[in-house]
Amino acid sequence: MRRRKFLKHCTSILGSLYATILAVPALGFLFSTLKRGKQTEKPYRLARLNDLEPGVPQRFTIIDQRVDAWTKYPSGPIGSVWLSKSQDGAVTAFSSTCPHLGCVVDYVAGDEEYFCPCHAATFQTDGAMVSGPQPRGMDELKTTIETIRGDQWVMVEYQKFETGIAEKVPIG
Amino acid sequence: MLPQKAQQWIDERTGYKNFLHAIFLLNFPTKRRSRWQFIWGGALVLMMLVEMVTGALLMTVYSPSEASAWGSVHFIETQVDLGWFVRGLHHYTAHMMIVAIIVHIFLVIISAGYRKPKEFIYWTSLLIGGVIIGLTITGNPLPWDQKGYWSYQIETGIAGTMPVIGSTLRSLVVGGSEFGNLTLTRLYTIHVIVLPVIAMLLFTFHMALIRRERLRTAKIKEAADDPEVDFQLDEDDPVKDEITQPYWPYQTTRTLVLTLVLIGIVIIQMIVYPALKNQHVSVGHLDWEADLPASEIKLEAPADSSIPYVARPEWFVRFLFELRHMVPKEMEVLVTAVLPGVILAVLFLVPFYEKVLGEKWGQRVAIIVYVGGLLIISGISWYGVKMERSAPNYALNRSQEVAYAARASWLASQNGVPPEGPDFLLRNDPKSMGPLIFARHCGICHTWNGHDGTGHNIMEMKDGKKVKATPRASDLAGFATTQWLTEFLMNPRSPKFFGHVGSTKGGDAILNGDMSDWADSYVGPEGILTKADIEAVAALVAREANRRDFKPLSEEVVKRGISVFSGIDFKDKSGKVAEFYGYCAQCHAMKAGDPEEEGGGAAPDFNGYGSEKWLADFIRKPGAERFYGDKNIMPAFEESKLSKHDLNLLVKWMRGEWQRPEQEK
């Protein structure tokens, strides 16, 4: 019987070794494909300051190259932002992605508020919540004014945030 | 483990203990001598499990389409943690399984495991072997690299020549008559669903038959050992030698030992040959000294019919490939399409050998046929590999394939794969395409370091023998560099330049034309020009091309170059200002060398000489007024002959301009 016991131990040890050879690479493999490339905030030149009409938000598309795993796509739309200029010339930018579940938010000119058509989330022009299922207000993006060849341009640092939670957490 | 109570609770509802007992604890009778037999079967099961786990992992990344297959495999190899390990394990374990099934069937034959009533056990193991070979054949093309693509072209071609079912079979596996989107999706389906399911069904059937057989033996033995039962075995009955032993842990230990040894060999193989390194080839062949290390991944260049590749079959079907060359043409179909069927039939009929020859001789013949067949097949394969490796162009071709693979891999890592597909990486790369375009269009007359750009020599028939063809025009490697121009000015008649143009109609006027006369009069020991003069004017002209390897010139060299080009302030060997009648500007125009801009007209214009635009214009229309005019003997390459895209790649390659690793800058 001692031999039998010894063989049982052998089987367990060798079996664990076999399982390890499979399990370690498997975990490494699976978890590394879950990692997303870290987003770097990048300023995008969107519009001339003078072209923005005070009090009327306008939507601008962000155009950039996109890398998806092994494929690198040429420049194309990767998202959009709402730009609005107040009467005193200060510019604010909001990501057009609804913080509820990620639909694209529209602007309703008559009501002077942002409205997401998916679940009726409504926001004020300063991005604060009015009504609806959204956990936070609209995500504001950093803006800077840069003078290029005498023209003042609005630059926006575009990034994406996690949806469905109350905190504003960048994805990545 | 679960507490006793929980185990009992589950067992009452499932009866799992009985089930496990039936599989592992049952007293299987085993022959002491033939315990080895089960080990290989068990190892095959465990290796199949490795294939399923690694295969499922690969499926999470792999993408079966022509535009993305190569990119996804490259991503697995280079970006995914331990991806190279998972893929390597999947690849090499498959090959190890073929070895294991060959050994397993051999052991079955020497222990007469095909004898009545075990014929079906034997037949199912043969079929499982066939499915494993099918899995490797369908798995190989999935990366859609050169190797997989070309092998599959040939394999499906062979399938198409099979009698009766050929063309139907081919269109089934190819998904139509041509390779395309449906080919890979088909292959993928066959590889990940169809064949594994068939293998599992066969395996289940195989194991059920084995169990049935073992239980029968155990019952006989029980009866013979039981004094209550009136049953005696004959003295010479083989069951007499059997002893009973549970599968667990006796067999399981042995099986695991063997499995781990085999997987260990696989892992060692993976680590020793991590890359496309080919022991017989150094990548630094001729101009192919890669400006990057050999690829560190096991993936050939993306499938592309315009890039040369010599397809080589997998080792286990190599003998068929070799036999094709050994038999006359009309027998080729017999070898490739009929012979595998014959081999299968010979193996299938093993149980019936004994019917004809008796037990002793039947088994002997089976062993002789099996071992002899293996030896012949190995011999043919070994001979084939040896012959191929000693073929004159093997090292060159293989090193280029490796260089293409390394280049594609590097470009993909640097730039990502474009959405159009991975073949665009090399198709837009001057370093890869330049030599091929040169060989196709220019190599007929010109040479590049003595060969056609790709390292091959143009051959021609002379007196019934193949000999290296004589070029008809200059050698263009290093065109428009200071060194190339210096050599030319020292001796325009040398075979590297105008030496052979005399063989072409109108070429004699160039060979013995103004340029050669000029060199006769002014260069050499008698001539007024020193080597430094020649080098200075050559550097001045090379500055127009401004190649990436061009080094800025000193003030003094520029001055001297201008003096030779324009004849102004020319100093002879003693350093005195002298009258120089052979100045270049008499025939050639070049603003940078000729302050008075008087020259030009009679010979090619040197403004921008050797630059991308100059070269492209020249190739398009060498007979233009600003080039050779009516002296020209070079054919013009219009858009219809040479596309704009190809011309651009060719010109960039000739000037040595392609994407390089950062450290070079």
Side-chain angles (χ1 to χ4, degrees):
Chain A
M1 268 305 130
R2 278 185 55 200
R3 176 154 176 267
R4 193 182 159 89
K5 215 170 183 155
F6 168 74
L7 285 175
K8 275 190 178 175
H9 282 302
C10 281
T11 298
S12 338
I13 291 165
L14 294 172
S16 330
L17 184 59
Y18 171 84
T20 312
I21 290 175
L22 281 183
V24 170
L27 293 173
F29 194 100
L30 284 177
F31 282 102
S32 76
T33 46
L34 296 180
K35 279 187 298 197
R36 284 285 156 81
K38 227 185 130 39
Q39 277 197 328
T40 44
E41 283 177 79
K42 215 168 117 182
Y44 293 92
R45 192 169 73 180
L46 292 186
R48 276 200 202 83
L49 188 59
N50 298 338
D51 294 352
L52 292 173
E53 203 179 315
V56 182
Q58 275 182 285
R59 200 165 78 190
F60 291 90
T61 306
I62 304 281
I63 306 280
D64 200 357
Q65 289 186 333
R66 187 165 61 89
V67 177
D68 173 10
W70 53 87
T71 310
K72 187 170 189 180
Y73 292 95
S75 285
I78 58 164
S80 58
V81 294
W82 283 102
L83 281 188
S84 60
K85 190 163 81 170
S86 60
Q87 301 297 346
D88 61 6
V91 177
T92 42
F94 295 108
S95 168
S96 69
T97 309
C98 179
H100 174 224
L101 289 173
C103 288
V104 178
V105 176
D106 292 332
Y107 179 72
V108 185
D111 303 344
E112 293 207 351
E113 58 188 14
Y114 292 105
F115 176 78
C116 179
C118 291
H119 308 96
T122 321
F123 307 88
Q124 292 171 16
T125 44
D126 64 355
M129 289 190 274
V130 177
S131 64
Q134 69 276 36
R136 62 173 189 260
M138 284 177 81
D139 298 317
E140 194 173 333
L141 300 164
K142 283 183 213 143
T143 56
T144 44
I145 304 290
E146 207 170 298
T147 309
I148 300 165
R149 286 189 294 278
D151 282 329
Q152 288 194 304
W153 285 85
V154 179
M155 313 284 285
V156 173
E157 290 194 5
Y158 182 74
Q159 54 179 157
K160 291 183 172 144
F161 302 94
E162 299 278 2
T163 55
I165 50 175
E167 301 81 54
K168 186 174 154 187
V169 185
I171 290 177
Chain B
M1 284 307 282
L2 290 165
Q4 210 60 41
K5 260 201 157 145
Q7 282 188 21
Q8 206 184 326
W9 190 89
I10 297 172
D11 190 36
E12 277 170 4
R13 285 154 184 80
T14 60
Y16 80 96
K17 283 189 174 170
N18 251 340
F19 178 75
L20 290 178
H21 189 273
I23 289 181
F24 288 115
L25 288 176
L26 204 77
N27 284 345
F28 275 157
T30 64
K31 281 186 181 160
R32 279 169 192 261
R33 286 195 314 271
S34 59
R35 220 180 258 137
W36 290 104
Q37 229 202 83
F38 312 143
I39 284 196
W40 287 84
L44 271 164
V45 175
L46 288 176
M47 287 199 277
M48 195 71 193
L49 191 63
V50 168
E51 289 300 282
M52 285 179 181
V53 172
T54 51
L57 287 169
L58 293 171
M59 281 169 80
T60 60
V61 177
Y62 176 75
S63 158
S65 89
E66 283 192 354
S68 58
W70 188 90
S72 64
V73 176
H74 185 264
F75 184 79
I76 289 170
E77 284 276 3
T78 56
Q79 302 293 311
V80 179
D81 296 339
L82 291 171
W84 63 274
F85 187 89
V86 172
R87 181 168 175 249
L89 206 57
H90 192 78
H91 176 100
Y92 286 116
T93 304
H95 289 256
M96 191 52 97
M97 283 178 80
I98 292 176
V99 174
I101 197 104
I102 289 172
V103 174
H104 183 68
I105 289 171
F106 173 70
L107 291 169
V108 170
I109 290 177
I110 62 167
S111 59
Y114 54 79
R115 232 168 245 166
K116 181 186 167 189
K118 302 187 204 157
E119 288 97 330
F120 276 92
I121 300 178
Y122 170 73
W123 286 334
T124 42
S125 63
L126 283 185
L127 288 175
I128 291 171
V131 172
I132 291 172
I133 287 180
L135 279 164
T136 49
I137 285 176
T138 50
N140 248 326
L142 289 178
W144 217 237
D145 61 352
Q146 289 280 66
K147 177 171 184 264
Y149 173 83
W150 289 108
S151 318
Y152 201 56
Q153 279 279 19
I154 291 165
E155 281 153 6
T156 50
I158 287 173
T161 60
M162 280 188 186
V164 191
I165 54 165
S167 58
T168 319
L169 183 69
R170 184 176 185 278
S171 46
L172 263 181
V173 291
V174 170
S177 56
E178 284 289 322
F179 273 28
N181 281 326
L182 292 178
T183 310
L184 263 175
T185 46
R186 275 267 159 148
L187 261 175
Y188 189 56
T189 314
I190 295 170
H191 185 77
V192 303
I193 290 282
V194 180
L195 290 176
V197 167
I198 293 175
M200 277 191 262
L201 290 174
L202 281 171
F203 171 71
T204 312
F205 186 43
H206 186 71
M207 282 320 288
L209 290 171
I210 289 173
R211 232 181 104 69
R212 183 173 170 273
E213 169 58 24
R214 295 276 164 71
L215 286 172
R216 203 185 58 90
T217 319
K219 281 211 176 76
I220 292 172
K221 196 130 169 79
E222 249 172 58
D225 294 347
D226 194 342
E228 304 281 305
V229 180
D230 180 23
F231 172 71
Q232 286 299 315
L233 280 169
D234 295 342
E235 275 309 307
D236 60 349
D237 193 307
V239 177
K240 263 260 191 281
D241 302 337
E242 308 251 329
I243 53 160
T244 54
Q245 213 180 37
Y247 196 83
W248 158 274
Y250 300 95
Q251 283 300 334
T252 46
T253 309
R254 290 185 173 82
T255 305
L256 276 166
V257 168
L258 177 69
T259 308
L260 288 170
V261 166
L262 296 180
I263 292 180
I265 292 171
V266 159
I267 292 174
I268 288 168
Q269 204 178 3
M270 221 153 66
I271 290 169
V272 174
Y273 297 106
L276 282 165
K277 284 187 189 115
N278 190 317
Q279 286 178 296
H280 316 273
V281 165
S282 64
V283 181
H285 214 83
L286 296 166
D287 281 2
W288 282 89
E289 89 297 337
D291 41 8
L292 46 133
S295 175
E296 281 300 318
I297 57 172
K298 211 163 173 43
L299 186 65
E300 298 279 349
D304 189 338
S305 49
S306 67
I307 287 181
Y309 189 85
V310 182
R312 297 168 196 85
E314 283 296 345
W315 57 272
F316 49 87
V317 283
R318 177 120 205 167
F319 71 99
L320 292 175
F321 171 83
E322 294 304 332
L323 278 172
R324 285 171 70 183
H325 299 302
M326 298 179 185
V327 299
K329 259 212 161 61
E330 48 275 12
M331 285 178 58
E332 211 176 278
V333 175
L334 281 181
V335 170
T336 53
V338 182
L339 188 64
V342 172
I343 292 173
L344 204 61
V346 166
L347 285 173
F348 246 86
L349 294 172
V350 162
F352 301 114
Y353 291 4
E354 301 189 350
K355 297 266 184 298
V356 182
L357 303 161
E359 260 191 22
K360 196 167 163 189
W361 275 101
Q363 188 175 14
R364 281 183 188 172
V365 167
I367 294 172
I368 289 166
V369 165
Y370 192 78
V371 176
L374 277 179
L375 285 174
I376 291 170
I377 286 173
S378 320
I380 293 171
S381 309
W382 175 83
Y383 172 78
V385 173
K386 193 166 163 280
M387 287 309 286
E388 182 193 59
R389 297 227 159 119
S390 57
N393 271 342
Y394 172 76
L396 173 64
N397 291 337
R398 185 65 201 132
S399 73
Q400 283 176 14
E401 286 162 13
V402 172
Y404 275 126
R407 184 77 183 155
S409 168
W410 183 79
L411 287 170
S413 298
Q414 290 290 310
N415 315 341
V417 179
E420 295 86 1
D423 42 354
F424 280 71
L425 291 168
L426 293 183
R427 284 192 185 182
N428 293 324
D429 176 38
K431 181 176 167 47
S432 308
M433 299 312 286
L436 298 174
I437 298 165
F438 187 90
R440 197 179 322 140
H441 295 290
C442 322
I444 298 146
C445 304
H446 289 278
T447 51
W448 185 275
N449 277 337
H451 54 79
D452 72 351
T454 65
H456 293 86
N457 292 315
I458 304 255
M459 305 305 267
E460 63 182 3
M461 297 302 280
K462 245 193 188 141
D463 314 328
K465 265 191 290 204
K466 251 192 171 173
V467 291
K468 197 173 149 180
T470 315
R472 285 177 292 197
S474 51
D475 190 287
L476 294 173
F479 175 77
T481 55
T482 309
Q483 195 200 345
W484 189 91
L485 284 160
T486 307
E487 280 176 41
F488 172 72
L489 294 174
M490 298 297 279
N491 183 9
R493 279 202 184 85
S494 99
K496 192 178 162 177
F497 302 104
F498 291 164
H500 295 295
V501 296
S503 62
T504 315
K505 186 171 174 283
D508 197 55
I510 293 178
L511 178 60
N512 300 313
D514 295 344
M515 203 65 222
S516 301
D517 290 346
W518 175 89
D520 293 342
S521 322
Y522 302 105
V523 185
E526 316 289 292
I528 191 169
L529 294 172
T530 59
K531 183 122 202 264
D533 289 329
I534 302 274
E535 274 172 1
V537 79
L540 193 71
V541 177
R543 191 174 66 171
E544 294 289 309
N546 195 19
R547 289 175 53 135
R548 59 188 298 279
D549 46 11
F550 186 77
K551 303 202 173 38
L553 301 178
S554 67
E555 198 79 20
E556 188 196 349
V557 171
V558 173
K559 237 174 92 177
R560 181 173 254 193
I562 291 175
S563 76
V564 177
F565 200 96
S566 63
I568 300 164
D569 288 339
F570 178 79
K571 298 186 178 66
D572 66 8
K573 287 177 186 176
S574 58
K576 284 201 203 76
V577 174
E579 200 62 41
F580 173 48
Y581 301 108
Y583 63 96
C584 316
Q586 285 179 82
C587 308
H588 294 281
M590 187 169 85
K591 289 192 183 87
D594 180 15
E596 294 171 12
E597 286 192 48
E598 57 149 80
D605 182 336
F606 283 167
N607 287 304
Y609 174 82
S611 65
E612 259 179 66
K613 185 169 177 349
W614 191 95
L615 258 175
D617 289 350
F618 186 90
I619 293 167
R620 278 272 184 259
K621 210 175 168 194
E625 203 48 52
R626 56 183 273 233
F627 299 123
Y628 275 127
D630 48 16
K631 288 201 200 74
N632 176 51
I633 56 167
M634 170 170 155
F637 288 85
E638 299 103 355
E639 182 81 37
S640 56
K641 268 197 213 166
L642 181 66
S643 71
K644 197 171 170 177
H645 179 251
D646 280 3
L647 176 67
N648 187 16
L649 289 171
L650 172 67
V651 165
K652 279 200 160 75
W653 171 72
M654 285 176 72
R655 294 171 39 81
E657 279 168 18
W658 53 75
Q659 197 182 349
R660 293 166 196 260
E662 290 296 329
Q663 65 259 27
E664 277 214 31
K665 284 171 188 157

